[in-house]
Amino acid sequence: MTWPTARDTATTIPQDIYDPLQQAWQIAWGGHSLATAPTDVWDANPFFPEQSTLAYSDSLLGYAPLGMIGSGAEAAVARYNLIYILLHALAFFGAYALTRQLGSRVPGALVAGVSFAYAPWRLAHGGHMNILSTGGIALALAMLARGHGFTLRDGYQPGRARPGWILGGWAVAAWQVTLGFGIGVPFGYALLAVALTMAVGWLRGHRPDQPRRVLICNLFGGALFGVATCVMALPYLQLAEAYPHARRSVADLAVFSPPLRGILTAPVESWLWGQTHQEIRATLAFPPEMALLPGFCLIGLALVGLSLSTWRPRTRLWLAGATALTGYLALGTQAWGQGEYGYVFLFQYLPGLDAIRTPGRLVVWVTLFLALLAAGAVTAICDHAQTHLKDRPTSNRVALKWLAALAPVLLVTVESLNLTPHPRVPETPAALRDVQGPVLVLPSDPMNDQAAMLWSTYGFPRIVNGVSSFSPRGQQEIRAVSTGFPSVESIAYLRMTGVKTVVVLRDRIPGTPWQRITSTSSAEFGVSRRDVGTASVFTL
């Protein structure tokens, strides 16, 4: 389902050579920091001389232990590709386990797993590992449901409670939060909503006789989740205080809020629908965040599940309502009333949501609820097939049962096939394999700095370069001054900020503000220069 990612893991990368390179660096930095200075993990090497720079985007710290395997840019890319494959597999397994625990047959769980892990909308986020990493959500819910002895068919069964699974579920939930708040914050509120629902039921007298260990494990597990969330949130809160201009606004929501038609629009990377939806996709202001198709087959099966399902009617209504609510919230300012009573309201008043400017990513929950409805439908179809085919000849009965079981799985699988591009990763310049930091790599702009971040995995020297959703004022000033390099003013300024080395990539500067650097003499300013391959290294 992710092919051809596995074909060439060391030199190609899914989607593009921008965000994936940055995220390959993030995982490598996490591993490097764990091995050398765990307490300084947030003070990453880019954006010199800024501090706590890992908090400039979702950190992916949950993958840091894997970052300890291998070193350098090629290892970082290979590691990224393997995690890219495995995170999809984890999402499949999590959704499969969840629906099986809730009472689905295997075919229904397979439909849910494929739909949740490989939904067409995910293909637009092939370069956003922090958004694709949702397997922990489904797996944590599956473990918590199993720990409480809960299914959608039978409700709570205290005799089936397994407290160890509860602790494991909370641990997985805490790990999920360490991957980033773009997905983690809504997940936290989803867990809170479940807990409040259970508490209300208990207060109303629906009090299943749960073992004391269940309560204790929930208290310890909930505390673990809360501590992990607070520890992860602290650097981001400090960042918001230091850089007020980095805060999101309702105007930012308006830029990224998808229209209703976006829910039925596939991204260009979809094998089945990409070309067909080209015209409607052109009407979207920002297709990567607005082409949110969960899958037509999934939607169709979910609609069937409203009338034919193994779930009870009340459960179906709850799932349908949850789907409609999360879909409404996902529209942001494009929803009825400009979202004033939807996502905009939550954005303004719920802590943490004010950091998320892309409401369309709530399609994760739309997909999960649709998958549960579809699993109920497929399970009911299999039950009916087994009942009504028992009088048929054995060969016909077996063939029809397999058809009823596998046809929905094949349909959602075909709809999830991808055309994701896999460009070659820029090779690390020889000059950057052993450079002395702090270093400024030129040209420095959002189109080049993500490659510089990846190349810095050789030794992790401090670099001025870096890309996030906002640019610190200090970085902007250094970029502006460096366009005059190697003038006396620019050299003095760079020395004052602490920069010791400037590496100019001569093959990348044509057409940029730095294109005159290689023809300018620097010897009279006390700066030495040496050429290494296609790069010029200036030592200040």
Side-chain angles (χ1 to χ4, degrees):
M1 296 302 292
T2 57
W3 186 262
T5 303
R7 183 171 58 194
D8 192 352
T9 58
T11 59
T12 65
I13 207 161
Q15 196 71 3
D16 57 50
I17 54 171
Y18 302 110
D19 287 352
L21 301 189
Q22 176 184 353
Q23 295 183 329
W25 161 81
Q26 283 178 299
I27 299 169
W29 167 259
H32 168 77
S33 183
L34 283 183
T36 56
T39 57
D40 296 330
V41 65
W42 292 103
D43 290 325
N45 65 308
F47 294 100
F48 176 82
E50 307 291 332
Q51 302 295 319
S52 299
T53 56
L54 190 62
Y56 286 8
S57 57
D58 277 344
S59 67
L60 297 178
L61 270 181
Y63 294 134
L66 297 176
M68 301 173 69
I69 304 172
S71 62
E74 284 194 0
V77 171
R79 187 189 304 116
Y80 177 95
N81 283 324
L82 292 175
I83 294 174
Y84 179 84
I85 296 169
L86 293 175
L87 69 84
H88 285 88
L90 179 61
F92 169 85
F93 176 73
Y96 175 88
L98 175 60
T99 45
R100 286 289 286 157
Q101 168 60 32
L102 294 179
S104 169
R105 282 178 174 263
V106 168
L110 288 173
V111 166
V114 172
S115 300
F116 184 68
Y118 303 103
W121 68 263
R122 288 177 173 267
L123 300 176
H125 293 280
H128 299 150
M129 185 172 281
N130 56 322
I131 305 304
L132 296 177
S133 298
T134 58
I137 293 176
L139 184 58
L141 293 174
M143 296 173 75
L144 290 170
R146 189 170 185 81
H148 288 88
F150 176 78
T151 71
L152 288 180
R153 279 185 163 182
D154 304 320
Y156 286 103
Q157 301 292 317
R160 297 180 182 177
R162 297 175 174 86
W165 284 96
I166 295 175
L167 277 177
W170 282 112
V172 172
W175 172 78
Q176 175 69 48
V177 169
T178 66
L179 297 177
F181 283 124
I183 295 297
V185 169
F187 177 45
Y189 280 115
L191 289 176
L192 179 61
V194 171
L196 290 176
T197 301
M198 294 173 61
V200 169
W202 190 86
L203 292 173
R204 292 179 60 187
H206 303 289
R207 304 176 183 180
D209 186 21
Q210 292 282 12
R212 182 181 297 272
R213 289 182 301 163
V214 169
L215 176 61
I216 294 173
C217 288
N218 273 310
L219 290 175
F220 275 101
L224 171 65
F225 179 81
V227 169
T229 302
C230 291
V231 169
M232 290 294 298
L234 184 59
Y236 293 93
L237 295 174
Q238 294 172 340
L239 178 70
E241 184 176 350
Y243 298 101
H245 65 281
R247 293 180 180 272
R248 313 303 191 191
S249 65
V250 175
D252 294 320
L253 291 184
V255 174
F256 293 101
S257 294
L260 181 60
R261 63 182 179 278
I263 300 290
L264 300 178
T265 305
V268 66
E269 295 86 358
S270 170
W271 175 79
L272 187 61
W273 303 117
Q275 187 65 30
T276 305
H277 289 188
Q278 183 175 355
E279 290 187 10
I280 190 171
R281 199 166 48 246
T283 67
L284 302 177
F286 193 66
E289 294 288 353
M290 297 181 181
L292 302 176
L293 177 67
F296 288 113
C297 295
L298 176 63
I299 294 172
L301 289 170
L303 290 174
V304 171
L306 293 177
S307 57
L308 175 65
S309 177
T310 194
W311 314 135
R312 290 172 291 184
R314 186 174 65 176
T315 300
R316 299 176 219 168
L317 290 177
W318 272 104
L319 290 173
T323 304
L325 176 61
T326 51
Y328 172 74
L329 294 176
L331 298 180
T333 60
Q334 293 284 340
W336 174 79
Q338 295 184 331
E340 183 179 354
Y341 303 105
Y343 191 86
V344 173
F345 178 83
L346 300 180
F347 178 85
Q348 292 174 327
Y349 295 105
L350 282 187
L353 277 184
D354 58 345
I356 304 174
R357 61 179 178 175
T358 49
R361 293 176 182 177
L362 290 176
V363 73
V364 169
W365 294 94
V366 175
T367 306
L368 183 58
F369 292 133
L370 288 174
L372 292 176
L373 282 169
V378 174
T379 299
I381 291 171
C382 292
D383 290 342
H384 280 265
Q386 185 169 354
T387 301
H388 294 294
L389 296 176
K390 60 183 179 181
D391 297 328
R392 293 193 176 238
T394 301
S395 59
N396 290 345
R397 184 169 68 247
V398 171
L400 290 173
K401 284 174 63 177
W402 275 102
L403 179 63
L406 293 183
V409 180
L410 292 175
L411 287 173
V412 295
T413 300
V414 169
E415 193 172 21
S416 301
L417 295 176
N418 76 87
L419 291 175
T420 302
H422 284 68
R424 295 191 69 81
V425 175
E427 187 176 352
T428 306
L432 291 174
R433 291 178 180 266
D434 58 354
V435 68
Q436 180 186 11
V439 59
L440 168 64
V441 181
L442 297 177
S444 175
D445 55 45
M447 302 302 291
N448 287 282
D449 276 9
Q450 285 156 325
M453 296 170 79
L454 174 67
W455 297 333
S456 75
T457 54
Y458 290 98
F460 294 95
R462 291 301 307 271
I463 60 174
V464 175
N465 307 73
V467 176
S468 73
S469 56
F470 80 102
S471 295
R473 186 172 292 108
Q475 185 190 56
Q476 297 176 29
E477 292 175 355
I478 292 176
R479 283 176 175 170
V481 170
S482 68
T483 58
F485 187 81
S487 67
V488 64
E489 295 83 3
S490 63
I491 292 173
Y493 186 86
L494 293 175
R495 283 173 172 163
M496 181 185 68
T497 59
V499 174
K500 294 183 177 180
T501 308
V502 177
V503 177
V504 179
L505 306 178
R506 300 193 304 273
D507 56 336
R508 286 177 171 250
I509 61 173
T512 73
W514 297 273
Q515 63 183 354
R516 57 176 291 276
I517 289 178
T518 56
S519 61
T520 304
S521 174
S522 60
E524 64 269 27
F525 303 131
V527 174
S528 66
R529 168 181 171 171
R530 60 188 176 92
D531 291 338
V532 182
T534 59
S536 297
V537 181
F538 296 83
T539 303
L540 307 190

